[in-house]
Amino acid sequence: MAQYFADIYETVSSVLKGMQITIKHIYRKPVTLQYPDERQVMPERYRGFVHNDMTKCDSCNICAKLCPVDCIYIEAEGKAKERMMTRYAIDYNKCIWCSLCTENCHTGSITMSHDYDHSVYDRKTLVYEFMDPADGLIPCHRATRVDMGWWVEEKKEKPKPKPPVEEKPAAEAAPAPEATPEAAPEAASETAPEVAPETDKPSDDKGAE
Ligand code: SF4
Ligand code: SF4
């Protein structure tokens, strides 16, 4: 019998606890987003899918060489001024969002976006092609990029070399420190031999006179 009433008490109290929480949230502002119509605003430093601005990329290969999982594919043809990029792709299946590519890109073309949703049915579609060779190839050489009107990185002025420093003789280079009035008597007492004051002792010259 006691167990019967204990069960009733347990049930009623747990329902009341649940209702208490429900009532507390009834008048609060909803936090649910109506995804995909509404998207969450991510923090500034959030690392989403890697994005490359192909107008700035010059196919230097730094990002591909640094990528620890080798998920950046860059292909180019030709040499020197004739060199053209034919493919730039990233396999998001492999990317670990380490940001090594973005931190070392010298043109700042590759960045971590705030894009967090690339839901797909087929994993093969997560290999993103950033350029289509049918639309034209991208010049890699700086001079060709300038000629064709592509974005080029501003040239940084090299710092001027400093003039050589002339070596001075040791005495000139390190002059003896000036003795302070307080320190002078002390220093003198340490270095100079003790002599009796001249006034106490008649000089030989005076005696001769
Ligand atoms: S974020 Fe890291 S893993 Fe992803 S493409 Fe860049 S270097 Fe590769
Ligand atoms: S490091 Fe930057 S400029 Fe060089 S290939 Fe990668 S994205 Fe392009």
Side-chain angles (χ1 to χ4, degrees):
M1 193 64 170
Q3 185 61 44
Y4 174 75
F5 285 108
D7 287 347
I8 291 175
Y9 172 77
E10 182 90 3
T11 309
V12 172
S13 65
S14 61
V15 168
L16 285 176
K17 263 185 208 165
M19 289 307 292
Q20 200 181 358
I21 293 168
T22 308
I23 290 164
K24 221 194 286 181
H25 284 83
I26 272 180
Y27 299 106
R28 284 194 181 169
K29 213 178 162 188
V31 290
T32 313
L33 285 177
Q34 298 304 319
Y35 181 84
D37 299 327
E38 291 174 11
R39 299 287 178 124
Q40 194 167 353
V41 178
M42 306 311 286
E44 198 183 327
R45 294 178 67 193
Y46 176 79
R47 291 180 186 177
F49 282 79
V50 181
H51 177 261
N52 197 1
D53 177 357
M54 295 310 295
T55 58
K56 289 184 174 181
C57 178
D58 63 1
S59 179
C60 69
N61 260 320
I62 290 173
C63 54
K65 281 181 186 160
L66 286 174
C67 178
V69 292
D70 293 333
C71 70
I72 299 178
Y73 311 122
I74 303 174
E75 289 168 20
E77 59 185 29
K79 284 185 179 173
K81 289 187 178 178
E82 306 298 319
R83 189 175 159 81
M84 294 283 183
M85 179 159 44
T86 53
R87 185 185 184 209
Y88 191 101
I90 297 178
D91 185 352
Y92 290 139
N93 290 296
K94 289 157 85 182
C95 179
I96 53 171
W97 287 267
C98 64
S99 199
L100 276 177
C101 53
T102 63
E103 281 167 20
N104 293 285
C105 173
H106 73 112
T107 63
S109 73
I110 191 165
T111 49
M112 303 301 288
S113 72
H114 284 186
D115 189 4
Y116 57 87
D117 171 32
H118 279 255
S119 312
V120 290
Y121 288 106
D122 184 357
R123 292 187 67 179
K124 283 182 200 156
T125 54
L126 279 176
V127 180
Y128 269 65
E129 299 290 343
F130 283 85
M131 63 172 284
D132 184 356
D135 295 339
L137 306 182
I138 296 176
C140 307
H141 196 280
R142 185 182 177 89
T144 319
R145 288 178 72 86
V146 172
D147 288 345
M148 293 176 71
W150 284 78
W151 183 92
V152 286
E153 190 180 15
E154 273 182 38
K155 273 192 174 173
K156 288 168 196 157
E157 278 189 24
K158 285 181 186 170
K160 288 177 186 171
K162 285 181 186 172
V165 183
E166 281 179 30
E167 276 189 27
K168 289 179 183 175
E172 268 185 56
E178 278 181 34
T180 56
E182 298 85 33
E186 247 177 68
S189 66
E190 278 174 20
T191 52
E194 276 185 31
V195 283
E198 277 184 18
T199 47
D200 296 345
K201 205 179 171 185
S203 70
D204 292 342
D205 292 347
K206 276 184 186 176
E209 279 171 11

